[in-house]
Amino acid sequence: GDSVTQMEGPVTLSEEAFLTINCTYTATGYPSLFWYVQYPGEGLQLLLKATKADDKGSNKGFEATYRKETTSFHLEKGSVQVSDSAVYFCALSPRRAGTASKLTFGTGTRLQVTL
Amino acid sequence: DTGVSQNPRHKITKRGQNVTFRCDPISEHNRLYWYRQTLGQGPEFLTYFQNEAQLEKSRLLSDRFSAERPKGSFSTLEIQRTEQGDSAMYLCASSFRQGSSQGLAGTDTQYFGPGTRLTVL
């Protein structure tokens, strides 16, 4: 079945440091890929998405590129801020006809950014 | 605020009691999903509606769980005879997808509500 593997956290960075959170997936066909973020006490928010190979999703300074050859969708940000402290979830959604677009999530990576 | 709303936000119950949660999706969205999230894990799919039809259920959804979306708008998730293992955050998400059949390939972007945290004592 479909699965998503994320690097384990917590990840602790100083403000303005470079961020990478690794995500790899296993799926039949060519799924759509997502990053969701969960701030403390809040619900899941869509951060960015990519729907086909080599697409780059971007939002709020975060980027991720859909790499079919390595089945990866790593999240990056050039300079993190304290306000980026949250849990980040990588997820995929199948694009197979006759299948619901249900999301399969990774276990989440907690990011803590300090001054 | 026109986002997905869920009620109640927190529910504490005793083992063996029944509980019901409500989800109000974004108004024009025709798809509605339920997920469950336990501590330290990502959300897991439970079930999915397109309009009022429940089209898919996970094997996680035992016969104690039932979900409805009677008029294709709000949805309820009921858990009967709760067990301590049911303690989790229950998340609802909605999306819009054109077409009346899930036979269309493609994807839709899901927007999540704040969740209902269930604690079973």
Side-chain angles (χ1 to χ4, degrees), chain A residues 33 49-58 64-67 72-73:
Chain A
L33 301 174
K49 68 178 184 179
T51 57
K52 61 182 187 294
D54 300 324
D55 266 2
K56 177 185 283 188
S58 61
T65 301
Y66 190 144
R67 300 288 189 198
S72 65
F73 192 54

Side-chain angles (χ1 to χ4, degrees), chain B residues 80-101:
Chain B
Q80 296 182 326
R81 305 180 304 281
T82 52
E83 301 173 356
Q84 288 183 325
D86 297 331
S87 296
M89 178 76 86
Y90 289 84
L91 300 171
C92 175
S94 71
S95 68
F96 177 76
R97 178 91 177 118
Q98 285 186 322
S100 59
S101 167

Side-chain angles (χ1 to χ4, degrees), chain A residues 32 36 49 97-98 101-103, chain B residues 35 56 102-103 107-110:
Chain A
S32 294
Y36 281 83
K49 68 178 184 179
S101 297
K102 60 187 177 186
L103 291 164
Chain B
Y35 294 84
E56 188 168 340
Q102 70 165 348
T107 193
D108 44 290
T109 298
Q110 296 176 35

Side-chain angles (χ1 to χ4, degrees), chain B:
Chain B
D1 185 11
T2 57
V4 179
S5 62
Q6 293 187 245
N7 288 288
R9 294 290 305 274
H10 303 273
K11 179 70 177 178
I12 300 173
T13 191
K14 293 181 179 178
R15 189 177 53 185
Q17 298 295 304
N18 299 343
V19 294
T20 300
F21 312 140
R22 177 178 169 126
C23 171
D24 287 89
I26 294 170
S27 60
E28 66 269 24
H29 284 186
N30 55 358
R31 291 186 168 185
L32 189 147
Y33 300 79
W34 285 98
Y35 294 84
R36 182 172 67 187
Q37 184 179 17
T38 54
L39 200 62
Q41 301 296 316
E44 295 175 292
F45 170 77
L46 292 179
T47 190
Y48 146 70
F49 291 85
Q50 175 141 328
N51 299 311
E52 67 277 6
Q54 188 175 19
L55 296 183
E56 188 168 340
K57 292 193 290 186
S58 163
R59 63 180 183 277
L60 292 175
L61 213 66
S62 75
D63 56 6
R64 296 184 298 105
F65 288 70
S66 62
E68 294 183 343
R69 195 183 183 198
K71 297 182 180 179
S73 57
F74 74 92
S75 176
T76 57
L77 178 68
E78 181 183 17
I79 309 174
Q80 296 182 326
R81 305 180 304 281
T82 52
E83 301 173 356
Q84 288 183 325
D86 297 331
S87 296
M89 178 76 86
Y90 289 84
L91 300 171
C92 175
S94 71
S95 68
F96 177 76
R97 178 91 177 118
Q98 285 186 322
S100 59
S101 167
Q102 70 165 348
L104 295 173
T107 193
D108 44 290
T109 298
Q110 296 176 35
Y111 297 89
F112 283 80
T116 295
R117 182 171 295 284
L118 173 66
T119 301
V120 182
L121 302 175

